[in-house]
Amino acid sequence: MENHESEDQRSIPVLTIGVEERLPPLRNVLYGLQHVFVSNVWLDPIFVAAMIGLPVALAANMVNAIFIAAGLVTLTQATRLARLPIVQGPSAAFDTLMINAGKANSLPAAGGSIMLSAAIVFLLAVTGVLERLRSLFTKAVTGSVIIAVGIALSGFTLYEFLGGSQGMSTFLAPQILAISIPTALVVTILSLFGKGNFRTYAFLIALVIGDIIAAALGQIHFSVIAEKAWFGFPRLLPYGALTLNGTAFVTFFIGYIVAVIEALGVYHAASEMAEINLDARRIRNGFAGEAAGSMISTLIGGFPTTAYAQNVGLLRLTGVGSRFTVMTAGAIFLVLGFIPKAGALLAVTPDAVVGGIFLPAAVSLIYTGLSTLNTMEKTEANYMIAGFSILLSVSLPSAVKGMTGHLGDFLSNGIMIGASTAIILQIILVMIPGWLRKRG
């Protein structure tokens, strides 16, 4: 059995606003906005579309589709399904897979693979089979996956924070660091030492300060807003009819299982912070909702949604755990999805400000994973599971850099490597020996 934290060991800060606490409308909107800004719901599709080189119309369609799917699933999860303060959005586990599929002109095959994977997970969820596999998802596994997600997020975050990578003209440029460093410091200082509204609105305050600095340095450009339409509706099957390819399906199905493991880790972290029992019904409903949302997203040109770990980091940093603020975030996503000009307001936020906001969230995500590992049963097997999965998620992608094909897609994805390693080792080192001891 897993060891559980005592009251004096539980990670701090404790939620100051509970899951079922209703707030005044203005505060709800402001807290909801923080969830919107700290998630990368808008960054993921923009990044994927840019890397694929999609035409403007298809790129805009992908962004709208992701917003709409994230809004629908976030609202239904918070109101009817898992009923936890978790935000849904595009899973980072699929970024590389979608980019490679797009460059190979195989987005219809990617869509077919996602649709079949989501349908399988939906059936496993509603029949209760997925919940019965819960023994696979121990503290060692979920904690390791959360850390792997945090590390993967930190790579993207540092790219924004530092102004790109070595060799780029903006890398470590003074005007970039003059924006990103103060933004990150404001979030960190207010989250740790702020009182009342200064702590709970830490991210919005940092966003405003970062944007003011960026505007003073001439780094904000509003022309992109004028180019966007007031209203927009995503197209059905914008890349053509869905197709199915066996090799692509295996790769995407593995990615989907990784997203499931990532989401379960988020459910565990959110429920523990909120002191809510994560029972079979919440898990079953939560995964059924995520699978349905992924199917809707795929039909209108997006890709799978999952529970966002960085928003759990926001819960920890601000102490605001109300699921009603998450409902507000879901409503905001829907508005952004159907009103592209409103969504473009997010796009004018300079990358350096985004990096400054995300960096503390990534840090919080990593120590959320560490807190989870701290509650696991202290055995050599669990230490091996956590150690190997984290080590390989960090080191293997860089070791196989440049490898192509589906194997390259898999090995270059730190989240997929970390989750797969943790699950395989859980089976080999814990479940099989336990089964053999019972047989003996």
Side-chain angles (χ1 to χ4, degrees):
M1 296 291 292
E2 300 280 1
N3 291 332
H4 297 284
E5 287 180 294
S6 63
E7 288 294 325
D8 58 331
Q9 290 175 316
R10 189 172 284 119
S11 300
I12 55 174
V14 176
L15 294 182
T16 55
I17 297 178
V19 171
E20 298 299 330
E21 188 170 344
R22 294 177 181 268
L23 300 167
L26 178 60
R27 294 180 67 191
N28 242 342
V29 170
L30 293 176
Y31 291 143
L33 277 173
Q34 289 197 133
H35 276 293
V36 170
F37 278 109
V38 81
S39 69
N40 60 339
V41 170
W42 84 96
L43 290 174
D44 251 305
I46 290 173
F47 171 69
V48 169
M51 293 299 293
I52 293 174
L54 286 178
V56 174
L58 285 180
N61 192 91
M62 179 179 282
V63 174
N64 285 6
I66 291 293
F67 273 131
I68 291 168
L72 286 173
V73 183
T74 298
L75 276 171
T76 53
Q77 290 283 35
T79 55
R80 304 289 299 176
L81 300 176
R83 295 175 66 87
L84 290 169
I86 52 177
V87 172
Q88 300 283 318
S91 173
F94 289 93
D95 285 0
T96 302
L97 301 183
M98 289 296 295
I99 290 168
N100 289 340
K103 288 182 176 180
N105 296 316
S106 59
L107 285 176
S113 299
I114 293 169
M115 186 66 69
L116 180 56
S117 299
I120 292 171
V121 170
F122 181 85
L123 289 174
L124 292 176
V126 297
T127 57
V129 173
L130 193 61
E131 197 281 327
R132 287 196 289 272
L133 297 176
R134 192 176 177 181
S135 58
L136 280 171
F137 309 133
T138 62
K139 300 280 190 179
V141 172
T142 55
S144 300
V145 173
I146 290 174
I147 291 173
V149 173
I151 293 171
L153 177 62
S154 69
F156 169 78
T157 300
L158 284 174
Y159 183 90
E160 306 291 325
F161 188 92
L162 300 175
S165 57
Q166 194 168 2
M168 296 175 64
S169 60
T170 54
F171 182 63
L172 295 180
Q175 68 268 26
I176 298 296
L177 298 181
I179 299 169
S180 60
I181 292 175
T183 303
L185 283 175
V186 170
V187 173
T188 303
I189 291 171
L190 291 183
S191 298
L192 291 177
F193 305 111
K195 303 294 183 182
N197 288 338
F198 284 103
R199 178 191 167 204
T200 55
Y201 294 127
F203 283 85
L204 282 183
I205 294 170
L207 176 70
V208 171
I209 292 175
D211 279 346
I212 290 173
I213 297 173
L217 296 175
Q219 296 295 310
I220 293 184
H221 308 286
F222 292 99
S223 58
V224 66
I225 299 176
E227 298 169 0
K228 297 294 183 180
W230 276 106
F231 299 100
F233 298 89
R235 291 164 48 193
L236 183 67
L237 299 177
Y239 315 117
L242 302 180
T243 61
L244 194 59
N245 174 281
T247 306
F249 166 71
V250 171
T251 305
F252 274 91
F253 185 70
I254 293 172
Y256 207 100
I257 295 302
V258 169
V260 167
I261 299 168
E262 176 187 348
L264 187 59
V266 173
Y267 291 178
H268 274 295
S271 60
E272 286 179 3
M273 270 188 272
E275 299 181 340
I276 289 175
N277 177 40
L278 185 63
D279 56 21
R281 182 188 60 82
R282 290 182 192 271
I283 294 175
R284 182 173 61 251
N285 290 349
F287 284 126
E290 291 196 8
S294 295
M295 288 188 275
I296 293 171
S297 179
T298 300
L299 285 174
I300 57 177
F303 46 97
T305 63
T306 188
Y308 260 19
Q310 51 263 49
N311 289 90
V312 172
L314 179 65
L315 301 182
R316 183 182 292 275
L317 287 172
T318 64
V320 180
S322 172
R323 63 187 177 90
F324 298 99
T325 68
V326 170
M327 294 178 203
T328 304
I332 293 171
F333 286 142
L334 284 175
V335 171
L336 296 175
F338 288 111
I339 306 179
K341 196 175 285 289
L345 283 171
L346 296 177
V348 303
T349 302
D351 293 345
V353 176
V354 174
I357 290 174
F358 269 41
L359 196 62
V363 170
S364 176
L365 189 54
I366 290 172
Y367 67 67
T368 296
L370 291 173
S371 296
T372 301
L373 291 182
N374 192 47
T375 66
M376 73 181 183
E377 187 177 358
K378 305 303 188 292
T379 65
E380 290 299 321
N382 280 343
Y383 290 141
M384 284 291 184
I385 291 169
F388 266 114
S389 57
I390 295 170
L391 183 149
L392 291 177
S393 72
V394 173
S395 59
L396 194 55
S398 59
V400 300
K401 190 175 182 179
M403 183 180 290
T404 58
H406 294 293
L407 182 61
D409 292 347
F410 176 77
L411 295 178
S412 62
N413 191 314
I415 299 173
M416 292 177 69
I417 288 296
S420 300
T421 302
I423 287 293
I424 291 169
L425 290 180
Q426 173 69 18
I427 294 171
I428 294 174
L429 301 180
V430 178
M431 298 185 72
I432 291 178
W435 180 77
L436 291 175
R437 281 195 296 270
K438 289 180 181 178
R439 295 273 295 184

